[in-house]
């Protein structure tokens, strides 16, 4: 069965983007783009023009992302900033679901078959699982990344931890009413990121 996995790049002080993120500044100000330097530190395009990871741990993570990802779930803000990925998510053009209260009348068509989900994270995961072909359902952006763990629906968390202090902006993990226990599965180091993978231990705090 597909796992539900948060897969996010994050600064050492816990931010996935700087303040004032927008289409003009997709990763915010204060150097928010530094959080993703590991994607671009190499000299050769790999798999998609967006990715230029150096050989080694960084490239291994991108390879694993392409191999394991079957569907993606994002929030409406990420969708807007990314211009709907022009209808094709950069990872395999995978099916993509967007959490929103009000679906847009017009949106880019493409192989990702953008689906707008108005009835919550559980419904989005259920729909994503139906098309992921047993591969992982990846949660991107803070909206699904916060809702799924709070609802007990997250199986793993992958953090690409950047050696950078953004100092403010969009925080991935807010205060939770109860703690969530994690089990470390792996850790690897590459230029500009330490890649950490955890299993969410269900039924314990």
């Amino acid at each position: 069965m597909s796992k539900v996995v948060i897969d996010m790049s994050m600064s050492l002080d816990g931010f996935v983007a700087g303040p004032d993120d927008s289409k003009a500044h997709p990763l915010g100000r204060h150097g928010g783009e530094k959080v993703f330097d590991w994607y671009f530190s190499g000299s050769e395009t790999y798999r998609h023009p967006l990715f230029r990871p150096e050989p080694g741990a960084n490239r291994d993570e991108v390879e694993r992302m392409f191999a394991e990802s079957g569907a993606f779930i994002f929030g409406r803000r990420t969708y807007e900033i990314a211009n709907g990925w022009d209808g094709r998510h950069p990872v395999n053009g995978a099916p993509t679901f967007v959490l929103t209260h009000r679906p847009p009348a017009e949106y880019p068509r493409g192989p990702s078959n953008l689906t707008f989900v108005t009835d919550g994270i559980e419904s989005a995961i259920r729909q994503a699982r139906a098309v992921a072909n047993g591969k992982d359902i990846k949660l991107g952006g803070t909206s699904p990344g916060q809702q799924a763990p709070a609802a007990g629906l997250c199986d793993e968390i992958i953090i690409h931890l950047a050696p950078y202090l953004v100092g403010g902006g969009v925080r991935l993990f807010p205060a939770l009413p109860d703690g969530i226990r994690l089990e470390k599965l792996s850790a690897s180091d590459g230029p500009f990121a330490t890649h950490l993978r955890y299993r969410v231990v269900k039924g314990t705090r």
Side-chain angles (χ1 to χ4, degrees):
M1 180 181 289
S2 298
K3 292 178 294 185
V4 178
V5 181
I6 294 171
D7 190 343
M8 295 284 288
S9 295
M10 186 174 75
S11 68
L12 186 60
D13 52 349
F15 297 97
V16 296
D20 305 320
D21 58 320
S22 64
K23 288 185 178 181
H25 302 280
L27 295 172
R29 302 180 188 273
H30 295 186
E33 71 279 357
K34 298 293 185 184
V35 174
F36 288 87
D37 277 353
W38 72 275
Y39 272 160
F40 315 117
S41 59
S43 58
E44 298 178 357
T45 296
Y46 185 73
R47 288 236 180 213
H48 184 277
L50 178 65
F51 304 111
R52 296 193 309 276
E54 290 188 15
N58 289 354
R59 185 169 293 182
D60 290 345
E61 284 299 314
V62 172
E63 177 64 29
R64 193 168 183 175
M65 180 170 55
F66 274 82
E68 294 180 347
S69 302
F72 287 84
I73 300 175
F74 294 93
R76 178 65 178 268
R77 184 169 181 81
T78 302
Y79 159 83
E80 295 284 358
I81 290 174
N83 290 312
W85 305 274
D86 294 324
R88 182 185 181 90
H89 190 276
V91 178
N92 297 329
T96 300
F97 298 80
V98 180
L99 298 170
T100 184
H101 294 295
R102 186 176 300 172
E106 298 293 332
Y107 57 92
R109 266 63 173 182
S112 289
N113 294 320
L114 296 176
T115 301
F116 298 90
V117 181
T118 60
D119 51 349
I121 185 66
E122 187 171 356
S123 175
I125 290 172
R126 184 172 60 251
Q127 294 180 60
R129 181 168 279 124
V131 297
N133 294 320
K135 293 186 175 183
D136 291 347
I137 299 164
K138 293 293 185 70
L139 308 180
T142 56
S143 179
Q146 292 173 2
Q147 292 182 48
L153 299 174
C154 183
D155 299 305
E156 291 185 4
I157 299 174
I158 303 171
I159 297 296
H160 310 284
L161 191 64
Y164 191 79
L165 301 175
V166 176
V170 182
R171 189 178 291 278
L172 177 56
F173 298 117
L176 294 168
D178 296 295
I180 296 176
R181 186 179 298 278
L182 306 175
E183 175 191 359
K184 187 171 72 173
L185 299 177
S186 65
S188 61
D189 286 314
F192 304 111
T194 297
H195 308 285
L196 303 166
R197 182 178 292 246
Y198 298 92
R199 181 176 70 89
V200 176
V201 181
K202 302 293 181 68
T204 61
R205 295 288 182 175

